[in-house]
Amino acid sequence: MEEKKPQELPPCWQPAWFKSFVRGLLWLFYGGPDVRGIEKTPKEGPLIIASTHRSYSDPVILGAFISRPLYYMAKHDLFENSLNAALITSLGAFPVNRENARGSTFRTAMKLLRAGQTVVIFPEGGIVNSLGEQGFKGGIGTLATMSGAAILPVYISGSNTLWDWGHALADSTWLAIRVGDPIPPEGGRGREARERAAERTLEALRRLERDYLAETGEAEAAPSP
């Protein structure tokens, strides 16, 4: 019998030196990001990172501070330009139609998770000003229950202030990253398990947001156009 070859994974060029270089740029541009909880990231095994989304720079920020190679679900519009598509694909992005995230997108994500990789999802469905502003996509629950992957909640604040000189001239750090405890896989694959996984993820993100805002006493800045 012919031996079955392992499936080839999409490209994901994220060497450690490149992550270190980008971290240096972020420290320069943002005046020293305040990063806490990164050590909670599981070092191996399938993982879904559920992150808030405030700026197009969020995937870059996550990739710089999380040591594992990251694959990203990115809106299909970003792949319309061939040069941009080639660049972000090489860095681990794959397209998703936010109106219908099933099909090839779902299969790609499942293939990656079954291979023990990390997939980044922005469950808010796009760049928004505050958590829950445009609802919360429940597809993360489906992906988590079917793959058996843990979910890592990540709260990013201030990534939309890169070109805001008011923040740049302030003494305080204006980019913050908070990583919560991994959410273990739900038992079962039914509707209740999917909804429970999505609800636990949303609550974890809300908890990170509450703790951060209570700590700083500040509201999030509006996203850049």
Side-chain angles (χ1 to χ4, degrees), residues 121-136:
I121 296 178
F122 297 106
E124 293 168 298
I127 296 175
V128 296
N129 184 38
S130 59
L131 189 59
E133 181 179 312
Q134 294 182 359
F136 190 81

Side-chain angles (χ1 to χ4, degrees), residues 48 56 68 76 112 148 151 155 171 186:
I48 298 171
Y56 284 115
R68 295 180 59 159
H76 65 91
L112 290 167
I151 300 173
Y155 177 78
D171 293 331
E186 290 284 344

Side-chain angles (χ1 to χ4, degrees), residues 27 47 56 73 82 86-87 98 140 155 167 169-170 185 198 214:
W27 278 90
L47 181 66
Y56 284 115
M73 285 188 178
S82 58
L87 174 62
R98 289 182 293 195
I140 190 171
Y155 177 78
H167 284 83
L169 297 175

Side-chain angles (χ1 to χ4, degrees), residues 149-217:
I151 300 173
L152 187 71
V154 178
Y155 177 78
I156 301 177
S157 175
S159 59
N160 51 337
T161 63
L162 179 59
W163 309 113
D164 187 332
W165 288 103
H167 284 83
L169 297 175
D171 293 331
S172 59
T173 296
W174 64 94
L175 172 63
I177 305 170
R178 297 291 186 269
V179 180
D181 295 319
I183 301 170
E186 290 284 344
R189 296 187 179 183
R191 178 178 177 180
E192 289 186 5
R194 295 194 300 269
E195 291 179 348
R196 191 162 56 245
E199 289 170 0
R200 292 175 68 189
T201 303
L202 177 57
E203 178 51 38
L205 290 172
R206 284 176 172 163
R207 190 181 310 117
L208 290 172
E209 180 181 58
R210 286 196 302 267
D211 291 348
Y212 173 74
L213 295 180
E215 170 193 336
T216 61

Side-chain angles (χ1 to χ4, degrees), residues 20-33:
S20 179
F21 174 73
V22 175
R23 282 197 301 274
L25 292 179
L26 292 173
W27 278 90
L28 177 64
F29 293 157
Y30 283 104

Side-chain angles (χ1 to χ4, degrees), residues 69-100:
L70 305 183
Y71 291 88
Y72 309 88
M73 285 188 178
K75 65 178 183 177
H76 65 91
D77 306 38
L78 297 175
F79 295 82
E80 292 178 352
N81 179 284
S82 58
L83 290 177
N84 189 62
L87 174 62
I88 62 178
T89 298
S90 69
L91 295 175
F94 58 98
V96 57
N97 185 333
R98 289 182 293 195
E99 301 302 320
N100 181 15

